[in-house]
Amino acid sequence: MAQQNNQGREQWASKIGFVLAAAGSAIGLGNIWRFPYKAGQYGGGAFVLAYILATFLIGIPLMIAEFSMGRSTQKSPVGALKKLRDSRFWPLVGWMGICSAFIVLSYYSVVGGWILNYIYESCFSSFQTGMAGVRFEELLARPGQQMLWHFLFMAITVFIVRGGVKSGIEKCSKILMPSLMVILFILMVNSLMSSGAGEGIRFLMKPDFSKLTRAGILEAMGHAFFSLSLGMGAMITYGSYLDKGTNISVSVLQIVALNTFYAIMAGLMVFPVVFTYNVDPGMGPGLFFVTMPEIFARMPGGQIIGFFFFVMVVFAAITSAVSLLEVVVSYFIDQLGWSREKANYLLGSVIFLAGIPSALSSNILKTVTLFGGKNIFDSLDFLASNYIMPIGGLLTAVFVGWVLTKQEKEPELKCGEGSFHFYGIWNVLIKYVVPVALVIVLLYTTGIMNF
Ligand code: PFF
């Protein structure tokens, strides 16, 4: 029987299970796909430093705030905000979270599908030199193929969420997260033995501040945000399955450490081979889907290494997708009283359908643009990560920092095992630093402020 609180709500079975599930949400395509190419574009080590700083100043305080809201109310985002302040406005923040989880999952699953396709291809055909770009273009040009893989990725996600908190999400995180770390570690060691290792390490660790423009700093802030799954209620939802015995501050430090460690390991896996095979480290999003397969084609043993690489990435993507679906599903369970089965199958299907335009945006719907000439896929990514998530994070920080009272906040931070709590510093960060930083990010992305 699943562990439950006294209102019959399912709870995490163990602290480590909770930490792995939350780290599973954080560690995803953001770390392995975006982080290396952003670091490539904005000066390697300098970007890494800015990212770590943003993680500490914005990421940690917000994650603590989200977990506290979830745990104190034992409700998913909309219910949590309603329970804390039953006004017209604040529950809208929960709604925004659900909408952005819905949007992000719809296109995240399309990318998850591309990775499944790469796994399949690494089993049944070989990576060929000079063909990676063509192969990727071919995949993008085929709507049916993309939809099939997108369906499969969503089906796996639905299958896991159906098992619930303990037997679904926690169990899969306990299996996938350690496996992912082991695979990444082996791949990283292998990469560090290549001749470009020195240059790769230097690139990632040695800050080149001349390339870290103001835009780079803002990108690092935005990335810290996306990569820690903040601003869309995922961590409120996971916090709502938490018991009072868990020390939130300690867990957050563990989750953030795992996430940062993983991103750096991913960088240490990618850049040495990038330099060994003489490809451009700052080549943008294609670094992942084109450059890596090209490197696998040229590398001895690349076929098997490539296979494990994509398996590792899909593990990371699945545990993130699961948290996105859980945000949406938990609303229907908590607020509308639906069964998990019904909510999961129905919402999983609707999100699959909503993802179809993204899968078609590189072929049939290529000419359809939404924002600033961007196709549907890019527009949704842009809208969610540049607007909805930072706005959600800003409103969460204002709510927790300014609306909630000390009596409502302090007990959440101070309960749980161990004596390590940092209520005082956290309160200053969530009240002043996080809102100011996020307002700057938003003014910049909206173009109101120009640097
Ligand atoms: N953190 C995930 C990644 O880095 O890929 C993406 C993500 C998952 C964002 C869950 C938001 C979220 F709620």
Side-chain angles (χ1 to χ4, degrees), residues 25-31 108 226-229 232 234 320 323-324 389:
S25 168
I27 296 172
L29 295 172
N31 306 56
Y108 203 84
F226 184 85
S227 134
L228 288 168
S229 307
M232 60 168 83
S320 296
S323 72
L324 289 165
M389 287 177 84

Side-chain angles (χ1 to χ4, degrees), residues 42 209 211-221 444 450-451:
Y42 296 107
F209 287 106
K211 282 208 195 129
L212 186 67
T213 51
R214 287 194 192 92
I217 298 176
L218 292 166
E219 283 282 353
M221 286 200 215
Y444 171 79
N450 232 333
F451 299 106

